[in-house]
């Protein structure tokens, strides 16, 4: 999963600053993602600058969201989309 989150962060790193971000309390976003899209945290990574990067996704709805939370507690949605498929864990079918 770590490689998926890293790839999404790289993909959205430039575009996130070029557009207005949707920001607010992390708990609010996490609850809304769960209630509306059925998304749950799939991965997280604490960056060296203290920003928490999280990937939320739902296998049922196929949606995904990348949320960055700054050290001051403000979270921003930096990317979202459809077509989420969980990473193959190498388990037999």
């Amino acid at each position: 999963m770590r490689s998926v989150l890293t790839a999404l962060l790289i993909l959205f790193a430039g575009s996130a600053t070029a557009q207005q971000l949707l920001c607010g309390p992390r708990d609010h976003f996490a609850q809304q993602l769960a209630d509306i899209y059925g998304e749950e945290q799939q991965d997280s990574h604490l960056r060296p600058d203290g920003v928490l990067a999280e990937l939320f996704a739902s296998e049922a709805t196929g949606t995904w969201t990348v949320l960055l939370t700054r050290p001051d507690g403000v979270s921003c949605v930096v990317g979202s989309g459809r077509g989420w498929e969980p990473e193959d864990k190498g388990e037999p079918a």
Side-chain angles (χ1 to χ4, degrees):
M1 289 291 177
R2 185 83 49 210
S3 61
V4 173
L5 181 58
T6 301
L8 289 171
L9 287 174
I10 291 169
L11 179 65
F12 288 103
S15 63
T17 56
Q19 55 186 288
Q20 184 137 7
L21 298 176
L22 179 60
C23 300
R26 185 213 172 270
D27 291 343
H28 172 76
F29 282 115
Q31 190 64 53
Q32 291 294 317
L33 292 171
D35 291 347
I36 297 171
Y37 301 103
E39 294 183 14
E40 297 178 354
Q41 185 191 61
Q42 302 294 319
D43 195 10
S44 67
H45 174 74
L46 185 60
R47 299 183 339 187
D49 60 0
V51 172
L52 177 64
E54 297 175 279
L55 171 64
F56 291 82
S58 169
E59 188 174 347
T61 64
T63 61
W64 58 267
T65 304
V66 175
L67 189 66
L68 298 182
T69 303
R70 302 183 318 218
D72 65 3
V74 174
S75 295
C76 299
V77 175
V78 296
S80 62
R82 296 187 180 277
W84 170 258
E85 293 183 21
E87 188 175 63
D88 180 17
K89 297 182 179 167
E91 297 174 4

